[in-house]
Amino acid sequence: MRASVLSSVLLLLHGVAATGGRGGHSAGGGGKDCSVVDASIVAHTGTPVGREVVYKNITIYISTPDEKDARAKARSKTAVLYLTDVFGIPLNQNKLLVDSFARAGYLTIAPDLFKGEPAPADINAPGGAFNVTDFLLKNGEASVDPIIDATVEYINTKLKVAKIAVTGYCFGGKYAFRHVGAGKKGDVAFTAHPSMLTDAEISGVKKPAAVAAAETDNTLTPAQRLNLEAKLSESKQPFRVSLYSGTAHGFAVRANISDPIQKFGKEEAFLQAVRWFDHWLI
Ligand SMILES: *[C@@H]1O[C@H](CO)[C@@H](O)[C@H](O)[C@H]1NC(C)=O
Ligand SMILES: *[C@@H]1O[C@H](CO)[C@@H](O)[C@H](O)[C@H]1NC(C)=O
Ligand SMILES: *[C@@H]1O[C@H](CO)[C@@H](O)[C@H](O)[C@H]1NC(C)=O
């Protein structure tokens, strides 16, 4: 593990402390009758409605759209592969976002990327036992890529769906790009505040790719963001990079929804992903 990579990941984890608040407001808001877009589709709090299955010893959280819904009918030949942050599928906000994609009409699947050992929610607890070096060594590309490949196989063979949109957050963002690269089966990618994304991964995208970036993010600094934009432009694939003011690393999942700007950013990032997938997948 190179020191520079490690220190940026450590900064990432400090960012968690700054933005890791759990807001107390219920889902909804922004869905006023006069709105053009109903943002109440995004659940911020509440009880997840999906289920867990095990495939090849990988625990997978699945949320299925209501098949009678017109949104689901329009998207019935597609699935969203949801790649989590370090907190994994145990984090309620991850499960709720998976459910939100299902409410938007997409069959949505989130594998456990960490073999049952995601980062704990209290990652920064003083004296906590979490060892980031060890976590990143255990959960490198050699471990995570095969889990995602197996989940794609599950989607193709068990769920019988061929077209896959990949969405990834923080840790998972890098893998969203990797799985629309050469030889991979993703058809379109979205990532919010990706960390540890390499130039080769950006230049390697073979499908449309979109990014939601936080204003304050030590893992995607303004200089890194400009580099990302330049590399995506060179890739000749359709792309979009959106920067959300008043947000910090993690906002698309763990926004403090008591803060109207953060709540708006999280909802917009979700809607950005759905619009991107709708345009390039359906
Ligand atoms: C969340 O945002 C509200 C409103 O801006 C603020 O009062 C509160 O301190 C924030 N919570 C955390 C944990 O940052
Ligand atoms: C199955 O996965 C669990 C963690 O989710 C792990 O502890 C166990 O060793 C795995 N079993 C096999 C046979 O790989
Ligand atoms: C953290 O994990 C690394 C790699 O496994 C190990 O070398 C190091 O000693 C660990 N640090 C602590 C404080 O346990």
Side-chain angles (χ1 to χ4, degrees):
M1 178 67 46
R2 279 195 310 263
S4 60
V5 173
L6 183 57
S7 67
S8 82
V9 171
L10 287 167
L11 288 168
L12 172 166
L13 297 174
H14 288 301
V16 170
T19 61
R22 305 284 188 273
H25 290 184
S26 59
K32 301 183 190 80
D33 288 345
C34 61
S35 296
V36 174
V37 173
D38 181 6
S40 71
I41 196 168
V42 186
H44 295 292
T45 57
T47 306
V49 297
R51 67 185 201 281
E52 285 184 0
V53 299
V54 177
Y55 178 71
K56 294 194 169 171
N57 202 32
I58 301 162
T59 302
I60 300 174
Y61 180 76
I62 300 183
S63 201
T64 307
D66 175 357
E67 61 188 23
K68 296 187 292 296
D69 189 326
R71 286 175 176 148
K73 284 182 185 149
R75 296 167 179 80
S76 64
K77 295 185 167 29
T78 64
V80 170
L81 171 57
Y82 183 110
L83 305 177
T84 66
D85 54 21
V86 293
F87 304 102
I89 52 177
L91 185 76
N92 207 48
Q93 287 127 312
N94 277 325
K95 287 203 186 83
L96 292 175
L97 262 193
V98 172
D99 294 348
S100 298
F101 278 107
R103 250 189 313 282
Y106 284 104
L107 173 61
T108 304
I109 293 96
D112 168 18
L113 302 175
F114 309 110
K115 301 185 174 169
E117 292 181 16
D122 61 346
I123 192 165
N124 289 311
F130 184 67
N131 181 334
V132 65
T133 311
D134 194 51
F135 180 86
L136 293 175
L137 279 174
K138 278 184 186 153
N139 301 296
E141 293 157 11
S143 174
V144 175
D145 278 334
I147 291 172
I148 298 172
D149 289 337
T151 308
V152 167
E153 182 185 277
Y154 177 80
I155 295 170
N156 289 162
T157 63
K158 302 291 174 187
L159 301 177
K160 311 250 185 267
V161 173
K163 285 180 167 181
I164 300 177
V166 193
T167 189
Y169 303 85
C170 312
F171 180 96
K174 166 191 180 75
Y175 291 92
F177 269 45
R178 289 176 74 78
H179 286 263
V180 293
K184 295 298 184 183
K185 293 194 170 166
D187 295 295
V188 54
F190 167 85
T191 171
H193 34 73
S195 53
M196 299 184 290
L197 195 54
T198 66
D199 283 357
E201 287 161 350
I202 302 167
S203 300
V205 297
K206 301 290 181 215
K207 302 286 167 53
V211 180
E215 185 176 9
T216 305
D217 190 345
N218 289 314
T219 71
L220 190 65
T221 61
Q224 287 173 313
R225 197 175 62 243
L226 290 179
N227 176 60
L228 169 66
E229 290 173 357
K231 293 267 179 320
L232 283 174
S233 181
E234 285 162 18
S235 78
K236 304 295 178 211
Q237 291 299 321
F239 70 91
R240 172 175 175 178
V241 180
S242 301
L243 177 63
Y244 293 83
S245 74
T247 63
H249 183 79
F251 79 94
V253 180
R254 293 172 297 103
N256 174 359
I257 58 154
S258 301
D259 175 348
I261 295 176
Q262 288 192 43
K263 179 172 181 284
F264 177 72
K266 177 175 175 178
E267 291 168 353
E268 287 295 292
F270 174 82
L271 295 168
Q272 180 189 342
V274 169
R275 289 275 295 155
W276 188 252
F277 297 161
D278 286 354
H279 188 78
W280 295 106
L281 201 61
I282 297 179

